[in-house]
Amino acid sequence: MELPRACRRPDRREPGSVEPGRDVARDACTRHECPPGFLVRAEPWGPGRGVGGPDWPARAIQRVLLGAPAAPVRVAALEGNHEVLPSPLARRHFKEHWNLPNEVADTSHYFFEQNNALFIALNSNRKDDAGLQEQAQFVRDTVAAHGEGKDWIIVANHFAFYSQGGRYTTEEIARMREVLGPVFSEVGVDLVLNGHDHMHNRSHLINGLEPKVPAVDAAPGDVLYPEKGDVLYLTLNTAVGGKYYDYQGIDGAKYPDMTLEESRAKGLNHPTIALWNQDRTPDYSIIDVTPTTVQVRSVNAADDTLVDAVTLVRHTPAASTDPGSSNSSGSSAAGIGAAIAAVVLGVLGVLGVLGVLGAAAFGPGLPRF
C-alpha cells in the first residue's frame, strides 16, 4: 500500500530527519519496549485536506500501526478539527473507524478505566457555550461515578489550553480555559494532554485558572508535588512533521527564531507557561505510571534527545517547603520503576499514542479496520 504524497513528504524532509508517523511509532517502540497492550490514540487524518480518498483515515492509521510492535495495538482515538473538515459530514469517517468506549450519545466524549487510572476523552470541537457545558458535565459525572479511589485522572482533548503556538488569546480557547479549567481542579484531574498547536508546551501547575509559579525556571527533569486542585497541562508536538507553528509572544507577535531563554529574558511568555520547545523536528512522548507518580518524557524523534521531562508525585514529602515548585534533581530520582505506560505519538499536532499501564488486556477502543 503506497502512502499518499501528502504523508510521504519527500520534498519536505531534510537530511537526518525521520520518516513520518509510521517510522516514528516503530522507532519509539523499539527504543522504549512498548508493552503489548499499549493504547494508541490519534487524530486520524480526516479528509479535509483531500489526501488519499474517502478511506484515507483508516489507511493512514493502518500504515502507522504497521510500524508498531507485532502484538495487538489498542486504540483510543480523539476527535479533532480534521474530523470536521471540510464540513461536519466528514465526521462520519471518524465515527465509522473507531470504537469509543462508554461514549455518551453521539458526542465523542468517552472514558475508560485501566490499571486504576481513569482516562477521559473529550471532543473539543464542541466548544460553543453549550458544548463546553456539556464537556464540563461529562467530566463531573464520569469522575463522580468512576473516579473514587483512582490513582490518577487524566483528560485528553485536541485543542491546547496553554500554548505559545498562536491561539492562546483567541476567544474560543480563552473561553474553553475559563469553563473547563475550574472543573478539572474541582473534580481532581491530575494531567491534561493536548495537541493541535504543533509545538511542545508545558504549563505550571494550575489551580482553576491560577498558575503556581515557582522561584526557579522550569527545566527538563522537574519533579512537581501538586496539591489539591493542581493540574498540569501538556501540549505535545507533532510526530509526523511537515508543519510547525511559530512561537507567539504575549505581545501577539510571532518570533520564528525565538528560544526559550530569550523569551524568558524578554518577558514574552504567558505567565502560565513553564517551558516550551519548537525545534521543528518530530517528537514523541513516553509516559511512566505508578500509583504515586506519573512521568512524561518528550523525545526528539530524529536523534532521541530529550525535549522535556516532568514528574508528578502524589504525596508531598515533608522536606518540601514549596509544594508547587520544580525540583531540578530530575525525574529519575522520583522512583519511576513501573513498566512504560505509553508512547505518545503526535499526529498532525494532536497526541497520537497513549496508554495507561497498558500491559493489561483492553478490549474497547480497537479500530474498525
Side-chain angles (χ1 to χ4, degrees), residues 2-125:
E2 184 68 13
L3 271 180
R5 181 178 177 82
C7 189
R8 286 187 281 121
R9 302 181 296 104
D11 54 332
R12 297 188 187 182
R13 294 202 306 270
E14 296 179 358
S17 66
V18 297
E19 294 287 334
R22 170 176 54 88
D23 289 351
V24 176
R26 180 199 62 211
D27 293 346
C29 289
T30 298
R31 292 166 179 165
H32 302 284
E33 299 180 357
C34 293
F38 83 112
L39 302 168
V40 179
R41 89 184 236 275
E43 175 184 10
W45 294 297
R49 301 280 176 170
V51 288
D55 63 340
W56 161 238
R59 291 192 289 115
I61 290 297
Q62 283 179 312
R63 186 72 176 192
V64 170
L65 297 186
L66 288 175
V73 177
R74 274 68 178 182
V75 178
L78 294 180
E79 186 171 319
N81 60 303
H82 288 270
E83 279 62 70
V84 293
L85 295 173
S87 78
L89 293 176
R91 187 169 177 258
R92 61 175 291 185
H93 297 282
F94 178 83
K95 303 296 287 188
E96 287 174 353
H97 290 114
W98 303 100
N99 290 319
L100 308 181
N102 305 303
E103 181 186 13
V104 173
D106 190 37
T107 61
S108 294
H109 309 319
Y110 66 95
F111 73 91
F112 59 85
E113 302 170 63
Q114 183 82 4
N115 290 48
N116 210 38
L118 176 63
F119 178 90
I120 301 173
L122 298 177
N123 175 9
S124 54
N125 287 327

Side-chain angles (χ1 to χ4, degrees), residues 185 189-190 205-207 212 225-232 323-324:
S185 292
V189 170
D190 301 291
L205 290 174
I206 295 178
N207 197 309
K212 302 178 74 171
Y225 301 94
E227 296 182 317
K228 183 177 180 180
D230 291 347
V231 183
L232 182 68

Side-chain angles (χ1 to χ4, degrees), residues 74-246:
R74 274 68 178 182
V75 178
L78 294 180
E79 186 171 319
N81 60 303
H82 288 270
E83 279 62 70
V84 293
L85 295 173
S87 78
L89 293 176
R91 187 169 177 258
R92 61 175 291 185
H93 297 282
F94 178 83
K95 303 296 287 188
E96 287 174 353
H97 290 114
W98 303 100
N99 290 319
L100 308 181
N102 305 303
E103 181 186 13
V104 173
D106 190 37
T107 61
S108 294
H109 309 319
Y110 66 95
F111 73 91
F112 59 85
E113 302 170 63
Q114 183 82 4
N115 290 48
N116 210 38
L118 176 63
F119 178 90
I120 301 173
L122 298 177
N123 175 9
S124 54
N125 287 327
R126 303 170 78 96
K127 54 184 179 291
D128 59 6
D129 285 345
L132 290 173
Q133 293 301 327
E134 175 188 278
Q135 292 183 61
Q137 193 60 48
F138 179 75
V139 171
R140 287 192 178 103
D141 292 345
T142 302
V143 174
H146 304 279
E148 181 69 27
K150 292 295 187 294
D151 294 328
W152 300 98
I153 300 175
I154 300 172
V155 168
N157 72 294
H158 181 63
F159 292 97
F161 284 81
Y162 297 99
S163 168
Q164 302 280 167
R167 298 181 175 90
Y168 192 102
T169 59
T170 61
E171 181 178 354
E172 61 182 15
I173 297 301
R175 182 65 176 153
M176 185 176 75
R177 283 196 300 269
E178 291 168 1
V179 173
L180 295 180
V183 175
F184 294 157
S185 292
E186 168 196 325
V187 303
V189 170
D190 301 291
L191 177 64
V192 177
L193 301 172
N194 316 125
H196 190 65
D197 275 10
H198 296 240
M199 67 179 296
H200 181 89
N201 291 266
R202 189 217 306 173
S203 76
H204 295 294
L205 290 174
I206 295 178
N207 197 309
L209 299 175
E210 295 299 319
K212 302 178 74 171
V213 182
V216 297
D217 288 336
D222 286 339
V223 179
L224 307 179
Y225 301 94
E227 296 182 317
K228 183 177 180 180
D230 291 347
V231 183
L232 182 68
Y233 295 79
L234 287 175
T235 301
L236 304 183
N237 207 342
T238 174
V240 176
K243 181 180 182 182
Y244 302 96
Y245 291 176
D246 292 336

